[in-house]
Amino acid sequence: MPNWFQKDRFYRSGMTILIAFFASIGFGQEQDRKLPTIDKFYPESMLKNPKTDIRYARFAAVDIHSHMGLRLKGDRGGLQKYIEVMDRNHIALSVSLDARLGDEEKHLDFLQNDLDRLLVFAHIDFRGSGLQDRPETWACNQPGFVRTTCEQLKRARKKGIVGVKFFKQFGLTYRDARGELLKIDDEQWQPIWQTCGELEFPVLIHTGDPAAFFEPVTPRNERYEELFRHPEWSFHGEEFPTRNELLESRNRVIRRNPETVFIGAHLAGNPEDLETVGRWLAEFPNLYIEIASRIGELGRQPFTARDFVIENQDRILFGTDGPWPEERLGYYWRFLETNDEYFPYSEKRPQPQGLWFIYGLNLPDDVLRKIYYQNALRILPFSDKLYQRAAAELDQD
Ligand SMILES: [Zn+2]
């Protein structure tokens, strides 16, 4: 047998063993290499399309939906910084929704140096000093609650409050003394809606939430990973009313109180179905809507959203749900004013309200003016002079 053959065979068998060895390692890695979980996957777009550098609103804006209390938590330095953010972004006025009815001074006090830039709504305190899980102890379940609330509303107006806010828990989780859900359209609240109308207080009411929050939390749910991170945001189950019940109940209140202006927060809680929201706006002349925290919803259906906004341009208000980091505001301007494609709606990674990107609406100037400030000034008491002054100063800089 020639020597070279033996040698070659030796090499061949050696190679075979080596290959088998590396293959086995490779194979093992294949098994160990797990797919990243969905919250670890946040791709950046590789599209080379225009990215408009837009840092402030084209027309000085009124932000109808902000939370100077909830988000700043008494931090005066933070408030000062946010006023500077408003300056840079051309936000003339912001409405803080965070005064508590009956104790408005606390929030007004916190805002006192900036009341030339901030308007304040008060929310009704349904629980009062009651215990969280004992509804029979809640303020709203004590005799005289509605009468007291109406008196407080009248006093609040004298203190400078210009509107009322209802949180989403109203209708969703608040219960009566027997533990039954309190209905939004319960007759007992009628004097409150009436009083708001008489005082010309717009009622900003948050009803419902993303449609996905009322669906089972399964891989078919379009907000699956978000609901996984925040199980408390799921309202699926027998203890909750359906989303439709909530929205219908709210609509009955709007229908019953034509003299009261209602602002349906977050596209009246139904941005996934703009056709229906359009029908509501047609039916209720006293209903306005605002876009806070929902450009992610509008911007993923840009053709429908653009038609909808143009069709309903007299009834849509600008809102942000802030204060947020300044970068977030930039996405609002980009969404409303440009025709940029496929960009994020938030600075957060992963995108916090649905794993998708959005497209700009490129709205015409006359529509932008209405959304940014004209519609708001029409329904906000005392806002006109404040706005003119703030906007004039912004334009100087
Ligand atoms: Zn809010």
Side-chain angles (χ1 to χ4, degrees):
M1 195 178 285
N3 195 28
W4 63 265
F5 182 70
Q6 283 186 335
K7 216 169 162 184
D8 190 50
R9 226 175 46 173
F10 170 78
Y11 284 130
R12 270 194 295 176
S13 54
M15 285 305 278
T16 311
I17 290 168
L18 271 177
I19 288 166
F21 175 66
F22 283 117
S24 75
I25 293 178
F27 186 66
Q29 279 179 342
E30 197 74 49
Q31 281 184 328
D32 291 344
R33 204 174 63 217
K34 291 204 178 74
L35 273 172
T37 52
I38 197 165
D39 61 312
K40 301 286 188 313
F41 179 62
Y42 29 96
E44 300 294 333
S45 168
M46 293 288 105
L47 290 178
K48 293 282 180 213
N49 47 15
K51 180 173 187 277
T52 311
D53 184 18
I54 180 167
R55 303 195 182 170
Y56 51 86
R58 192 172 307 168
F59 307 107
V62 177
D63 179 351
I64 196 80
H65 188 150
S66 76
H67 294 287
M68 304 298 171
L70 281 175
R71 301 218 195 279
L72 297 175
K73 298 186 170 62
D75 170 12
R76 279 179 194 272
L79 176 61
Q80 221 36 59
K81 283 210 178 72
Y82 191 69
I83 300 290
E84 289 162 22
V85 170
M86 286 170 59
D87 289 344
R88 283 197 292 276
N89 282 269
H90 270 187
I91 298 176
L93 304 177
S94 287
V95 174
S96 177
L97 303 174
D98 293 347
R100 190 156 59 94
L101 191 69
D103 184 25
E104 303 84 359
E105 287 84 354
K106 188 167 172 229
H107 196 52
L108 289 168
D109 231 42
F110 172 59
L111 305 175
Q112 60 179 324
N113 295 331
D114 301 296
L115 290 172
D116 54 340
R117 301 293 296 282
L118 303 172
L119 292 166
V120 185
F121 281 27
H123 57 266
I124 295 169
D125 184 8
F126 282 80
R127 188 175 117 191
S129 53
L131 301 169
Q132 181 64 37
D133 47 4
R134 289 189 46 207
E136 70 276 17
T137 64
W138 283 33
C140 61
N141 294 320
Q142 311 312 317
F145 173 75
V146 169
R147 189 170 22 87
T148 310
T149 299
C150 291
E151 284 159 13
Q152 286 174 329
L153 286 167
K154 288 173 197 161
R155 279 200 294 273
R157 166 130 199 181
K158 292 192 184 114
K159 295 179 199 166
I161 298 298
V162 299
V164 177
K165 158 82 192 257
F166 283 82
F167 288 103
K168 70 177 170 195
Q169 286 77 9
F170 181 55
L172 184 64
T173 61
Y174 296 162
R175 289 174 187 278
D176 69 13
R178 293 167 309 154
E180 301 288 324
L181 276 175
L182 284 167
K183 297 257 184 341
I184 300 173
D185 65 338
D186 195 315
E187 281 286 343
Q188 66 169 317
W189 315 126
Q190 215 22 54
I192 296 178
W193 311 122
Q194 284 298 305
T195 304
C196 288
E198 286 156 22
L199 296 171
E200 295 182 344
F201 276 174
V203 176
L204 193 145
I205 181 163
H206 179 168
T207 309
D209 243 356
F213 289 10
F214 291 81
E215 295 294 313
V217 185
T218 69
R220 289 178 67 106
N221 190 307
E222 67 173 352
R223 308 278 281 263
Y224 186 47
E225 50 80 37
E226 182 184 350
L227 289 167
F228 212 81
R229 282 185 281 118
H230 293 282
E232 74 281 11
W233 291 350
S234 170
F235 306 121
H236 174 73
E238 298 213 321
E239 66 273 40
F240 299 108
T242 68
R243 184 164 174 267
N244 214 36
E245 281 165 1
L246 284 168
L247 298 175
E248 286 301 319
S249 179
R250 187 243 1 240
N251 287 354
R252 282 191 286 276
V253 171
I254 299 172
R255 187 181 292 118
R256 208 186 278 157
N257 294 278
E259 305 300 323
T260 306
V261 168
F262 291 86
I263 304 168
H266 313 300
L267 278 299
N270 204 7
E272 297 92 340
D273 182 3
L274 294 177
E275 197 188 329
T276 297
V277 179
R279 273 205 303 277
W280 296 342
L281 288 168
E283 188 187 343
F284 310 124
N286 54 329
L287 173 63
Y288 288 73
I289 57 174
E290 57 89 23
I291 63 168
S293 285
R294 294 298 179 270
I295 62 171
E297 289 296 336
L298 295 174
R300 65 167 167 156
Q301 44 176 334
F303 306 116
T304 304
R306 189 171 198 276
D307 288 348
F308 171 83
V309 171
I310 289 175
E311 169 87 25
N312 298 290
Q313 56 185 273
D314 294 311
R315 313 283 286 286
I316 302 176
L317 310 170
F318 170 73
T320 65
D321 218 357
W324 299 116
E326 189 165 3
E327 194 183 337
R328 180 85 59 106
L329 293 172
Y331 293 121
Y332 278 83
W333 317 138
R334 208 171 159 200
F335 165 67
L336 292 166
E337 299 182 25
T338 80
N339 54 12
D340 285 4
E341 298 175 299
Y342 200 68
F343 57 92
Y345 55 82
S346 164
E347 75 291 346
K348 281 192 184 163
R349 297 291 180 278
Q351 296 275 281
Q353 297 178 297
L355 300 177
W356 49 73
F357 293 95
I358 65 169
Y359 304 80
L361 298 191
N362 192 26
L363 293 169
D365 281 0
D366 53 333
V367 175
L368 285 175
R369 279 201 188 85
K370 289 179 182 180
I371 292 174
Y372 278 150
Y373 67 95
Q374 288 171 346
N375 295 338
L377 298 186
R378 206 163 58 238
I379 59 171
L380 283 173
F382 309 117
S383 60
D384 206 63
K385 277 205 183 97
L386 274 186
Y387 174 83
Q388 301 305 344
R389 200 179 312 143
E393 257 173 58
L394 289 178
D395 286 341
Q396 272 170 17
D397 305 333

